[in-house]
Amino acid sequence: MSVPYYSPMSFWLMPNEEFNEWRAQNDLPLLREFFIARLPRFKDWLDEFGIDAELFCRIVPTGALFTGSGRKLLAREEIACEKHSFFRLRKMTRGQFEQRCRELGQAVPPVLEFEPYFDWAKKRLGRERYFRLDASNDSRIDNFIFNRWTQHKIPEKSRASLLGDFETLKLGGVTLNERIYLGGRNLDFADLDHLVVKDRWHGPGAVEINYSSCRHMVFAETLLHHFEFRQCDMDRLTCQKSDLHNFKFVECTGKQPEFSDSRLSKVSFLKGTLFPDFTACEMEDITYKPRRGRSPAAVSDEYRRLRSAAQGAGKRFEASKYYYLERKFERRSLASPYAENPALFPVGGNSGRLPDVAARWWKGEISGAQALKDAGEIFLFRLRVWTSPKLMPRALGFKLRCLGALLEEIVWGYGERPLRIFATALCLIAFYAAVYYFYASELSMDPSQATRLVNSIYLSVITFTTVGYGDITPKTEHMKLICATEALFGCFTMGLVVAGFSNKSRY
């Protein structure tokens, strides 16, 4: 099933609502039939919330029916005339919306409350919500994915297929110059590959794009604001000499994106694999939240790139924050180095992680039998590594480096959290003071209850700071060793204080 090819530029030259009307009458009915055929109990969901064929095609954006969790509210919005009537998402409850209409002196339009399909399926269907990726692939998923492209190297002829079978409406392969408005268009479930957005003015209003193929998309010498891409495929996204303000890339995938010579403000990369290289960019308020289950080594590398970009832009505070997170995920990668360093552990088998297997089973992606099989393979892989005279020292080296990095994080936050050193010092002083308190008989101080606590704290402080007045001294050999270890810890901690605060000025 596919949407016939039409000239993409003819769609962009349409007014927004005329374009949405065309989709409601042409390609969205085909998309609805495809979903009924492919998605588990999709027809039951439509019937439960009273979403008929006409209403399905008039919800803008269409992706609102699938994204998010909890109940949502859609309200009808009349545009110009009755035939241009669409339902748009309202980020409020039904009561709040009705109250707002009364305050504005407006009649309350027809509204629809519903639960997004994927959230509904997760609650109602459990493990039965998964469906096959395509007819030739036994992999099972519970979300949309673009996984087939034809003539992808020819911008004018390339086509993107949803779930391998449905060729979506082609809107890419063209260049959008000034005064082509983007806001308000229903750009969900579309083929936006090789779309080039140029020049400065593309209209007011926010732009929301869900579940579309946006490979090789280019922003060139343009000014854009309030864009949100959600669960889009964005391979080789390029931004050149542009100003992007208030952009969100949520759960998007993509390789080798590049941002260069651009100004970025309030740009977020959330829970996806899309993360660009930044070259000569001015950046302000960049947010990155890695996807759960993503490789710690990959996340560490992405924070490294953010840190380098922040340093290049002179953002010292941000560079410090990103360096801390870079080291934190680097430490996590050391805890399970097998998958990240296959050449160092060439024993064959499943080098994955048990928590990942447990998470996949809990989500319902794999059966209990498959989870047990995967866990057994991982256990055998680790057993072969740790019983090999050649590989065991390598694995032990990674574990020791991980332990060292963990201590470094706790004590002083890799030099980026110097105030932690004082907390560490207070803990050490309190610990040694407790030792002196309970073993006061082995010290040359008054063991009476009245002064023992004060003297123990006093001795711990002057020993830790290596002042050593000599008025209280150890009387036994093992107490001398205890005092010596506290002095060593004190010297080391004072050195960290100097290094930590010096480190803060390196950016």
Side-chain angles (χ1 to χ4, degrees), residues 407-465:
L407 291 174
E408 192 177 355
E409 180 181 351
I410 293 172
V411 171
W412 70 329
Y414 307 112
E416 304 304 322
R417 305 288 189 273
L419 292 179
R420 288 187 185 180
I421 303 170
F422 294 105
T424 302
L426 288 175
C427 290
L428 288 170
I429 289 172
F431 171 76
Y432 279 98
V435 172
Y436 300 149
Y437 180 84
F438 289 109
Y439 293 92
S441 61
E442 299 183 28
L443 296 164
S444 61
M445 69 177 184
D446 183 4
S448 65
Q449 196 71 25
T451 60
R452 187 164 59 171
L453 178 60
V454 174
N455 285 336
S456 297
I457 296 174
Y458 166 75
L459 175 60
S460 183
V461 170
I462 64 172
T463 304
F464 188 85
T465 56

Side-chain angles (χ1 to χ4, degrees), residues 90-110:
R90 306 293 178 176
K91 296 182 179 180
M92 60 185 74
T93 65
R94 183 170 188 159
Q96 291 172 335
F97 178 70
E98 292 175 350
Q99 177 65 28
R100 182 180 179 186
C101 289
R102 285 193 292 269
E103 290 174 354
L104 296 175
Q106 300 174 350
V108 179

Side-chain angles (χ1 to χ4, degrees), residues 5-15 18-19 22 169-171 174 176 185:
Y5 176 85
Y6 301 92
S7 170
M9 184 53 74
S10 65
F11 293 118
W12 292 109
L13 295 177
M14 291 180 182
E18 184 179 326
F19 168 75
W22 187 95
L169 177 66
K170 181 168 178 61
L171 298 174
V174 296
L176 305 184
R185 292 179 184 266

Side-chain angles (χ1 to χ4, degrees), residues 277 299-309 311 322 326:
D277 285 321
V299 176
S300 175
D301 180 67
E302 286 157 0
Y303 276 120
R304 177 190 59 77
R305 283 186 273 165
L306 260 181
R307 187 248 306 165
S308 297
Q311 283 181 271
Y322 296 141
E326 172 193 347

Side-chain angles (χ1 to χ4, degrees), residues 40-46 48-49 68 115-126 129:
R41 293 179 58 183
F42 186 71
K43 186 66 167 60
D44 293 343
W45 174 78
L46 292 173
E48 180 174 333
F49 294 104
E115 199 171 357
Y117 169 74
F118 287 127
D119 188 44
W120 175 88
K122 185 177 181 180
K123 296 174 182 176
R124 293 288 187 89
L125 307 182
R129 72 185 185 276

Side-chain angles (χ1 to χ4, degrees), residues 334 337-338 345 385-386 391-400:
L334 294 173
Y338 316 108
F345 302 98
V385 168
W386 286 95
L391 302 182
M392 188 271 285
R394 296 178 186 175
L396 182 61
F398 277 102
K399 296 296 183 182
L400 292 175

